[in-house]
Amino acid sequence: MERATMVRPSSTFVKINKKKLWVSLAIAVLSLCFVPINVSAAVRRQTPQQHHLSRKPSPKLRFGRNGEFKILQVADMHYADGKTTPCEDVLPSQVDGCSDLNTTAFIHRMIEAEKPNFIVFTGDNIYGFDSKDSAKSMDAAFAPAIAARIPWAAVLGNHDQEGTLSREGVMKHIVGLNHTLSQLNPSELHVIDGFGNYNLEVGGVEGSGFVNKSILNLYFLDSGDYSTVPAIPGYGWIKPSQQLWFQLTSAKLRRAYMSPPNAQKSSAPGLVYFHIPLPEVASFDSTNFTGVRQEDIGSASVNSGFFTSLVEAGDVKAAFTGHDHVNDFCGQLTGIQLCYGGGFGYHAYGKAGWPRRARVVVVSLEKTEEGGWGTVKSIKTWKRLDDKHLTAIDGEVLWSKKHTGKVE
């Protein structure tokens, strides 16, 4: 999100008759499933000529032998041209020599300190307006994850496509990079809005009874950039076609999890990642969230009903976004945690004296009666600040089989 051009949501949301909408959409998808259609309204610019044909395959995601799966969220890098791109909103003592390279150094520090199993970049990975070459900017932005050979994934924000590549071109370039598990869109669907809608499955510990079963499901969606409807101002939103894909995918994963071998009684936990926060995030105040709220919620001015889709699916325990750089809180609504990553990038707007930060999520497994590793027991989170000690703050339990709340 760009502070100077923020568009705030109106006080009245557009309401949608969801039942009629799903029926109409299902009919439309069935009738058009054999017709490749590009529904993105993004302006076409240069498209990449090649997609890293030497890309190395990434391993399947699975829990480590310690029974944990750790995810590092990097929100709003706003990367541009490296050492020639200045920092925004830092203290006077930090201005000299501060650049995109500070963002790169922060990622390296986080990787070394936390040793994540997986990294998620939640949009505005580059700041297209200030980038001379979008492809080169992305190569540099994602370089620390690639160099560390850590599997990673990305979604798009509202600024990624504002440079030399279209929105589709940006996502295609990301998909072609080494060690990424990012996907352009679901292969089974020809009609879906946006670019970068996909899911990933996380298998159980090697050698356990869940080695070939997804016990944690990750969903990634394109929340768009700006409204393409003249009568609706502001930012984009998750469209009905994407919601239908999410619901169908969630139902398929639930059936697999509740089927042999090791059939379970309910869905595996799910986590969702996208860029622009949902309108429901505005319902929180300082009495019911962990973290800080220092700016208005930059959601779309319409409520497309995606939060309701998450609740109805029943598997998602938390959704993670970026976009509002100086908000970093988590709040629970109807059993789902809605969390900001907190501003990471030094070329993004921030607040002088308020350190850049990153969110860490650790998903832990329970022990079986035989002493092996079973299914997910808890989901915890904390943030680290880019200060001298990489200070960890705001530790809390997002979900567990027993309770949620702050980590003691």
Side-chain angles (χ1 to χ4, degrees):
M1 186 165 100
E2 182 181 11
R3 178 174 50 192
T5 58
M6 286 189 284
V7 181
R8 295 305 177 199
S10 61
S11 59
T12 303
F13 294 144
V14 175
K15 294 182 179 180
I16 297 172
N17 186 324
K18 293 192 69 178
K19 183 175 181 181
K20 291 182 179 179
L21 181 61
W22 294 127
V23 172
S24 299
L25 182 59
I27 294 172
V29 170
L30 289 174
S31 63
L32 294 174
C33 63
F34 297 103
V35 182
I37 295 177
N38 182 356
V39 295
S40 173
V43 177
R44 289 293 171 263
R45 299 184 183 88
Q46 173 188 348
T47 56
Q49 298 302 308
Q50 59 180 8
H51 307 307
H52 305 261
L53 298 179
S54 60
R55 170 183 168 179
K56 299 176 182 178
S58 296
K60 174 181 171 61
L61 295 178
R62 66 173 60 260
F63 280 78
R65 293 191 178 277
N66 63 349
E68 292 184 347
F69 187 78
K70 183 182 288 188
I71 303 171
L72 168 63
Q73 179 190 0
V74 177
D76 297 274
M77 289 189 291
H78 279 232
Y79 210 95
D81 294 328
K83 65 180 180 181
T84 62
T85 299
C87 296
E88 300 284 343
D89 296 331
V90 294
L91 294 171
S93 60
Q94 298 175 299
V95 171
D96 188 33
C98 192
S99 71
D100 277 338
L101 299 187
N102 289 62
T103 302
T104 298
F106 186 19
I107 300 178
H108 282 301
R109 294 185 75 198
M110 287 300 301
I111 289 174
E112 182 177 357
E114 291 288 0
K115 296 176 175 54
N117 301 101
F118 186 54
I119 303 175
V120 182
F121 297 91
T122 50
D124 283 1
N125 308 301
I126 64 172
Y127 190 65
F129 279 132
D130 291 345
S131 168
K132 295 178 182 177
D133 185 317
S134 293
K136 290 183 179 179
S137 294
M138 283 187 283
D139 291 347
F142 299 125
I146 296 171
R149 300 176 181 272
I150 297 173
W152 60 276
V155 294
L156 301 182
N158 54 296
H159 289 306
D160 293 287
Q161 79 292 338
E162 293 172 339
T164 58
L165 292 175
S166 67
R167 199 166 182 81
E168 180 181 12
V170 168
M171 199 65 210
K172 282 184 174 179
H173 187 84
I174 290 172
V175 169
L177 293 173
N178 281 333
H179 304 296
T180 188
L181 297 179
S182 307
Q183 299 172 31
L184 183 62
N185 268 329
S187 59
E188 68 274 14
L189 282 183
H190 294 285
V191 182
I192 190 168
D193 287 87
F195 301 99
N197 303 288
Y198 55 102
N199 71 287
L200 297 172
E201 302 177 11
V202 184
V205 176
E206 193 77 51
S208 73
F210 295 92
V211 64
N212 294 319
K213 204 176 192 75
S214 178
I215 57 176
L216 175 68
N217 296 312
L218 307 177
Y219 303 94
F220 306 85
L221 294 101
D222 180 1
S223 55
D225 47 13
Y226 303 96
S227 171
T228 58
V229 181
I232 302 176
Y235 294 112
W237 56 90
I238 295 173
K239 306 298 196 303
S241 63
Q242 298 167 279
Q243 296 185 48
L244 178 61
W245 165 77
F246 163 76
Q247 290 185 324
L248 293 174
T249 303
S250 174
K252 180 183 69 174
L253 293 169
R254 180 172 62 251
R255 289 192 299 270
Y257 191 64
M258 298 175 68
S259 299
N262 289 318
Q264 301 299 299
K265 296 180 180 180
S266 61
S267 302
L271 306 177
V272 182
Y273 291 89
F274 49 93
H275 181 69
I276 298 175
L278 299 175
E280 284 81 2
V281 175
S283 67
F284 297 119
D285 58 41
S286 59
T287 67
N288 58 7
F289 64 65
T290 300
V292 297
R293 175 177 174 174
Q294 301 178 110
E295 63 177 305
D296 291 341
I297 307 303
S299 60
S301 60
V302 296
N303 192 328
S304 67
F306 185 52
F307 182 74
T308 301
S309 293
L310 296 178
V311 174
E312 289 175 345
D315 61 334
V316 171
K317 308 306 178 187
F320 301 92
T321 62
H323 193 55
D324 301 331
H325 306 176
V326 294
N327 291 340
D328 74 348
F329 63 84
C330 283
Q332 187 186 70
L333 182 64
T334 321
I336 298 176
Q337 297 277 355
L338 302 176
C339 298
Y340 281 105
F344 190 101
Y346 278 85
H347 186 51
Y349 77 81
K351 184 178 180 181
W354 193 71
R356 266 58 176 187
R357 58 203 58 212
R359 181 170 293 281
V360 179
V361 170
V362 172
V363 184
S364 301
L365 303 180
E366 61 185 359
K367 281 282 191 177
T368 65
E369 293 181 357
E370 295 76 22
W373 293 112
T375 57
V376 173
K377 175 181 68 175
S378 66
I379 303 172
K380 299 178 182 179
T381 189
W382 59 87
K383 299 183 293 283
R384 282 195 183 270
L385 310 182
D386 192 21
D387 58 14
K388 182 178 179 180
H389 302 290
L390 276 181
T391 304
I393 63 170
D394 295 338
E396 61 179 314
V397 179
L398 295 179
W399 176 86
S400 77
K401 289 188 174 180
K402 294 181 180 180
H403 71 284
T404 58
K406 292 185 178 180
V407 175
E408 299 297 334

